[in-house]
Amino acid sequence: MIEKSEKGVISKLPNLGISVFARMTALATQYQAVNLAQGFPDFQPPDELIEYLYQGSKDGFNQYAPMPGLLMLREQINERIFRDYNYAAKVDTEITVTAGATQAIYSIISSFIRPNDKVLIFEPAYDSYAPSVLVNGGVPIYLRLKEPSFSIPWNEFENCINEHNIKLIIINNPHNPSGAILNKDEIDRIEKITREKNILIIWDEVYDLLVYDNRIHQSALRNSDLMLRSIVVFSLGKTLHNTGWKLGYIIALDYLTKEIRKLHQFTVFSVNTPAQYAVAKFMDSNTHFFSTLSKFYESKRDYFYQILQPVGLEMLSCMGSYFTLASFKHLGENSDEDSAIKLISEIGVACVPISAFYHDGYDPKILRFCFAKKEETLEIAVKRLLRLKDHNIFAKTDIN
């Protein structure tokens, strides 16, 4: 049913409101809570990056960049992905700099999805995927990952592929919110299942450098057969602690990139020029930063887990990303959203209810915390969370 506003405007997304991240952050501000909800670091990016930004602006990098991105940045990206994944992209035709990963994913979906095309989305899923499909007239097909490992249910996956005429699959690896990662065998299995189906795959790999415990990120770039029909999205903001700069990039074969750029040129056209310059200069002179990033965040994860132990939450495995999940099922049957709101208002810590990552509000009694914070921020949060022993946050409240 098409819904209209009071002024008669027909909404293309009638069932959507403000995102859960914005709502939880607003509540965190209202109650002066420690914000472990929204995915951003509370520490500064490297000093050199700021200096290069100033230098770029001072030296005249203030006008439109080329539509695909500054050549110097695309060259650095090419060196980076070759160094990490042995993938040689064509700088002119296979690398596109975007205004963050969300814009990249929206542009990709808008470039290929027509009305009634079906798009497979694994849940829990980042909240921009489905709206990007819906606004283009596509039909999301949802498949729930298996708890507590959040692994792919392979039989259901194959049945879904066979039952529906799937045009596109979106895969997030490392996965937000669960922190799960795919291994090589799983990547190969996805390639085999989809090989004869003419299915395009978006790989959301924004946390590709945040993989822990000596694991190796299995990028789609490592599989040459898969890359014939894959588009890989990366985030510089997640990597460089500067999410507000909104910089990302797309790697895809030229025939796919050509279609994406047709739309990209009429949405953002080009991306913040001095920021592109700064990142290119930083990438050229600071390869050590990238090679040590996983250990940097792994230590934060481990520290957060250590100091959280007395709180009593059941911490789930986190193999990648800068989020971790905590189950409260053993502590009570309150909904995760109500629990998250009470954590903010009564305890002073903001997190995200995982039901927000499911289209149907499925609630497995799990909360997501971001540990990309200073140690003192995590310590303040845990000190407040220790008050849970004296509060009935997770117990279901009867409404008279």
Side-chain angles (χ1 to χ4, degrees):
M1 179 179 178
I2 297 176
E3 297 184 14
K4 296 184 179 181
S5 72
E6 292 179 2
K7 296 185 182 294
V9 176
I10 299 174
S11 174
K12 295 181 74 175
L13 297 169
N15 298 319
L16 294 183
I18 303 300
S19 77
V20 66
F21 311 109
R23 287 191 287 114
M24 292 301 160
T25 294
L27 285 171
T29 301
Q30 178 183 342
Y31 288 99
Q32 298 183 320
V34 179
N35 190 356
L36 304 187
Q38 201 164 9
F40 63 84
D42 68 343
F43 43 85
Q44 283 285 82
D47 290 341
E48 302 98 312
L49 196 60
I50 305 299
E51 292 168 6
Y52 288 136
L53 181 68
Y54 172 71
Q55 177 185 320
S57 184
K58 186 178 179 181
D59 290 350
F61 286 84
N62 299 301
Q63 310 309 323
Y64 295 125
M67 182 268 289
L70 282 182
L71 177 60
M72 62 189 297
L73 178 55
R74 284 181 282 135
E75 288 174 339
Q76 289 300 319
I77 290 169
N78 186 45
E79 289 186 21
R80 198 288 257 199
I81 62 172
F82 184 78
R83 181 173 63 246
D84 289 343
Y85 304 123
N86 198 33
Y87 185 88
K90 297 174 183 176
V91 172
D92 291 334
T93 59
E94 296 181 355
I95 302 173
T96 305
V97 179
T98 62
T102 300
Q103 182 259 314
I105 291 168
Y106 177 81
S107 293
I108 296 165
I109 292 170
S110 298
S111 298
F112 296 104
I113 293 304
R114 296 176 173 84
N116 299 315
D117 282 345
K118 294 179 180 178
V119 179
L120 179 57
I121 298 175
F122 292 101
E123 289 190 318
Y126 185 63
D127 68 341
S128 80
Y129 297 165
S132 299
V133 173
L134 291 166
V135 81
N136 283 286
V139 180
I141 303 296
Y142 300 100
L143 188 58
R144 193 177 294 173
L145 297 172
K146 292 166 60 177
E147 302 163 36
S149 62
F150 294 90
S151 57
I152 294 174
W154 293 103
N155 290 337
E156 293 176 42
F157 178 41
E158 291 195 55
N159 290 339
C160 184
I161 294 294
N162 293 327
E163 179 182 348
H164 300 284
N165 183 24
I166 299 294
K167 175 72 177 290
L168 174 70
I169 301 173
I170 306 175
I171 298 176
N172 184 198
N173 177 42
H175 185 256
N176 172 19
S178 74
I181 62 173
L182 296 171
N183 60 39
K184 183 180 184 302
D185 289 342
E186 290 170 318
I187 299 285
D188 292 344
R189 190 169 181 178
I190 291 170
E191 191 281 322
K192 183 178 179 181
I193 291 171
T194 60
R195 184 182 302 161
E196 304 299 328
K197 302 295 184 179
N198 194 32
I199 296 173
L200 192 63
I201 306 176
I202 297 175
W203 297 85
D204 179 351
E205 299 190 11
V206 300
Y207 300 103
D208 74 308
L209 293 178
L210 278 59
V211 173
Y212 310 130
D213 305 314
N214 297 315
R215 296 180 176 88
I216 297 174
H217 173 60
Q218 295 299 329
S219 173
L221 296 174
R222 297 182 185 274
N223 189 312
S224 57
D225 292 330
L226 201 51
M227 282 306 297
L228 295 174
R229 46 200 163 79
S230 288
I231 302 165
V232 190
V233 177
F234 296 93
S235 168
L236 289 161
K238 301 293 187 185
T239 302
L240 298 172
H241 320 321
N242 59 350
T243 59
W245 289 24
K246 295 300 290 181
L247 282 176
Y249 56 96
I250 298 169
I251 308 292
L253 293 182
D254 53 4
Y255 85 99
L256 296 170
T257 297
K258 181 180 178 181
E259 293 302 313
I260 297 165
R261 287 181 180 177
K262 287 179 181 179
L263 182 63
H264 177 73
Q265 67 182 333
F266 294 119
T267 50
V268 297
F269 179 72
S270 64
V271 179
N272 187 300
T273 304
Q276 289 194 61
Y277 172 87
V279 171
K281 294 287 286 184
F282 183 82
M283 292 179 74
D284 184 40
S285 57
N286 289 274
T287 55
H288 178 71
F289 172 88
F290 298 91
S291 64
T292 59
L293 196 62
S294 64
K295 291 298 181 183
F296 173 77
Y297 276 113
E298 183 179 322
S299 66
K300 288 188 176 294
R301 179 205 64 176
D302 292 347
Y303 183 66
F304 189 47
Y305 274 36
Q306 176 190 338
I307 62 177
L308 261 179
Q309 284 184 0
V311 172
L313 295 168
E314 180 186 346
M315 304 307 296
L316 304 186
S317 173
C318 167
M319 295 182 281
S321 84
Y322 50 43
F323 302 108
T324 186
L325 298 182
S327 172
F328 64 87
K329 188 181 298 184
H330 60 295
L331 299 175
E333 286 300 314
N334 198 10
S335 74
D336 65 351
E337 182 162 356
D338 286 347
S339 296
I341 291 171
K342 290 174 76 174
L343 272 177
I344 296 173
S345 61
E346 298 183 25
I347 302 297
V349 177
C351 60
V352 174
I354 200 178
S355 61
F357 295 85
Y358 292 91
H359 75 286
D360 57 0
Y362 170 67
D363 179 6
K365 314 300 180 189
I366 293 173
L367 303 171
R368 190 197 77 171
F369 295 88
C370 175
F371 56 81
K373 309 294 178 183
K374 302 172 189 172
E375 283 194 2
E376 52 263 42
T377 302
L378 298 177
E379 289 167 358
I380 293 169
V382 171
K383 186 176 181 179
R384 294 183 180 185
L385 286 170
L386 287 170
R387 294 187 228 155
L388 285 172
K389 297 175 182 178
D390 301 319
H391 287 71
N392 214 14
I393 294 292
F394 302 115
K396 192 155 189 170
T397 304
D398 292 328
I399 301 175
N400 296 325

